[in-house]
Amino acid sequence: MTDGLIGVVNAGSSSLKFSIYAGDDCLLNGQVDGIGVRPAAKARTGAGEALPPPDLSAAPPATPADALVALMPWLQEWLAGRRLSAIGHRVVHGGPNHAAPARVTPAMLDELEAFVPLAPLHQPHNLAPIRAALARNPGLPQVACFDTAFHRTIPEVAQVFALPWEMAERGIRRYGFHGLSYEYIASVLPRAAPEIAAGRVVVAHLGNGASLCAMRAGRSMATTMGFSALDGLPMGTRCGQLDPAVVLHLMTTEGMDAEAVEALLYRKSGMLGLSGVSSDFRDLLASEKPRARFAIEVFVHQVARNVASLAGAMGGLDGLVFTAGVGENAVAIREAVCRACGWMGVELDEAANAARGKRISTPGSRVGVHVIPTDENLMIARHTRALVR
Ligand code: AMP
C-alpha cells in the first residue's frame, strides 16, 4: 500500500529542484545547485523551515540525473517508511502532439528524445533524471508534465511561421512555454478572479524567464514564446523577439559561429546585456545607473506592447493577471505596465497595487487586473496524482 505521496522533480542544466506533496500540501522542498562544478544541496519543510540538507560531498554528482540518484538515501530517510506513489517531472518539450501529461515508458522516452534538437539546452537535462529513476525503480510510475502542452489549444494560424509549409510539418512552429504556470493560473482563475475567468485574459508570467499567454475561458489562444523559450519578451539574460536578420548579420558580417550566437542570445542579452548591471530585477530596481533604468523601460515597453498584441489575437481584453517573481512582487513594474495599457481600459488602483492586493484595478476599470502567485510544482503534483490514480 502507498500513502499517496507524490514526488516532483524539476531538472535544469546545473540544478535539480525536488518536492514532496501529500494532496495539495507541499511537505518538502529542496534543490541541488552547482551540479558539475560545486554541488550544494538545501532543503526546507513545506512551511519553510530549513532542514539538515543531504551531504553530497562523498560523491559530488556531475549531472542532474546523478544528483537525483545521490539524493535517494536522504529522501528514504526523510520518508521514514512512507512510500511515493509516483514522481512527476517537468519536461520542457512535448512536441506538437502532447496536449496533456503522460506516464513515461521506455518507448516514450525515446519519442521525447526526438525533441532534444528543439530544446537542446533543457530537454536532455529533463529526460536523464527520468531515465535514472526508471532504471532504479521500474515499478514506480514516472509522469512527464510538458511546458508546451497547455498551448496545444492555440489555433493553427497562430502556431505556424510564414515559412515553407513543409517546415511546419518538420516541427518548425510555435510551441509556447511556461504552460504549467499558465495552467495553474487557469485552474485558480474561477475562484481568484471570477469576473474575468470566462473572458479574454492576458496572463503575464514575468520572472527570470518571461512570457505572456492569451487565454479565452481558461484556454491558451496565443503566447509570446515560440519555437524556443528565446522568443517574445526580453528576459533576465535572453533577448526575446529579434529580427532574424540580426543573426545572419552576426554570422556573415561579424564572423560569429553558432555557439557564440547562442551564448549571446541566451546568456548575455536581455536585462543583463542592456543594463550591464544585472539580470536580476531587484538589482535593476535598486540601481541608480541610467542603463539599469533604461533596461526596465525596455522591458515594460515590450510587455505592454505584447499585451496589446495578444488582446488583438483575442479581439479584446477583459482581464490582466500578473504572476511569477517580477509579476508577483515588483510594484513599480506592474504600475508602469498598467499605465502603458491604460488605453485598453486598464485602470490601476495605485493603493491596492502598493499594498500588494489581489485585485489591483479600480472598481470601475473595464479590465480587471489581478496578482496571482503561480505554483508550477503543485500543477505537476496534481497531474501526476491524477494519472496514477
Ligand atoms: P522567477 O523566475 O519567477 O523566480 O523570478 C525571478 C525574478 O523575480 C528575478 O529577476 C527577481 O529579481 C524578481 N523578483 C523577485 N522578488 C522581487 C521583488 N520583491 N521585487 C522585484 N523583483 C523581484
Side-chain angles (χ1 to χ4, degrees):
M1 277 297 286
T2 64
D3 57 5
L5 297 182
I6 299 289
V8 171
V9 171
N10 184 346
S13 55
S14 64
S15 69
L16 183 120
K17 296 183 185 142
F18 58 95
S19 307
I20 306 269
Y21 282 82
D24 275 359
D25 293 332
C26 181
L27 306 183
L28 174 72
N29 256 319
Q31 71 186 75
V32 185
D33 289 313
I35 296 171
V37 189
R38 194 177 306 159
K42 53 188 177 197
R44 291 185 175 277
T45 65
E49 286 162 38
L51 291 168
D55 179 7
L56 305 173
S57 58
T63 66
D66 290 347
L68 183 58
V69 173
L71 284 172
M72 295 284 182
W74 183 90
L75 275 174
Q76 291 294 353
E77 201 173 310
W78 182 86
L79 285 165
R82 292 170 297 176
R83 288 175 52 193
L84 294 180
S85 301
I87 300 182
H89 300 259
R90 181 182 196 165
V91 176
V92 69
H93 223 300
N97 298 324
H98 281 290
R103 182 160 171 182
V104 181
T105 60
M108 188 196 198
L109 268 181
D110 292 341
E111 183 206 330
L112 296 178
E113 289 283 351
F115 305 133
V116 166
L118 300 183
L121 301 185
H122 296 98
Q123 191 84 340
H125 304 294
N126 298 158
L127 298 185
I130 308 182
R131 241 182 236 291
L134 269 181
R136 273 183 74 90
N137 192 346
L140 180 65
Q142 309 288 325
V143 172
C145 298
F146 306 107
D147 255 326
T148 49
F150 184 69
H151 299 298
R152 299 285 58 79
T153 51
I154 293 179
E156 188 80 354
V157 288
Q159 283 200 43
V160 295
F161 297 115
L163 292 169
W165 177 248
E166 315 80 74
M167 294 199 163
E169 291 179 326
R170 291 212 311 265
I172 301 174
R173 50 169 60 225
R174 291 180 207 276
Y175 293 96
F177 298 89
H178 289 141
L180 292 160
S181 173
Y182 292 128
E183 190 179 10
Y184 175 80
I185 298 293
S187 78
V188 299
L189 214 48
R191 190 168 36 84
E195 82 282 13
I196 59 171
R200 299 157 298 183
V201 176
V202 170
V203 181
H205 177 111
L206 309 179
N208 191 35
S211 71
L212 305 177
C213 176
M215 279 184 204
R216 191 191 271 272
R219 286 158 66 88
S220 177
M221 304 302 290
T223 187
T224 54
M225 280 180 171
F227 176 69
S228 72
L230 198 55
D231 201 5
L233 305 177
M235 304 173 219
T237 62
R238 286 172 257 170
C239 61
Q241 187 185 20
L242 184 74
D243 180 341
V246 173
V247 174
L248 298 177
H249 171 83
L250 293 174
M251 298 184 87
T252 56
T253 310
E254 299 205 2
M256 287 173 81
D257 63 12
E259 204 178 323
V261 173
E262 182 179 288
L264 175 79
L265 302 185
Y266 275 96
R267 292 194 288 278
K268 300 180 189 167
S269 298
M271 296 299 101
L272 176 66
L274 275 173
S275 70
V277 171
S278 173
S279 64
D280 191 299
F281 278 87
R282 271 169 301 203
D283 297 341
L284 298 178
L285 287 162
S287 173
E288 298 285 321
K289 296 214 168 109
R291 271 172 54 200
R293 286 169 194 276
F294 182 66
I296 292 176
E297 281 174 29
V298 171
F299 181 75
V300 168
H301 172 82
Q302 288 296 337
V303 172
R305 192 173 149 169
N306 280 279
V307 169
S309 165
L310 293 192
M314 292 186 290
L317 186 68
D318 303 307
L320 177 60
V321 174
F322 289 96
T323 193
V326 175
E328 291 167 28
N329 297 297
V331 172
I333 291 181
R334 286 199 303 259
E335 181 175 336
V337 169
C338 286
R339 278 193 200 292
C341 292
W343 65 274
M344 283 181 280
V346 172
E347 211 176 283
L348 182 72
D349 178 336
E350 282 176 33
N353 186 40
R356 298 169 189 275
K358 292 178 179 159
R359 184 181 151 115
I360 59 167
S361 49
T362 62
S365 179
R366 230 172 351 101
V367 176
V369 186
H370 291 254
V371 181
I372 304 179
T374 194
D375 197 337
E376 291 154 310
N377 283 355
L378 176 56
M379 204 65 234
I380 296 174
R382 284 179 180 167
H383 277 309
T384 303
R385 184 179 307 284
L387 256 178
V388 297
R389 185 166 276 158

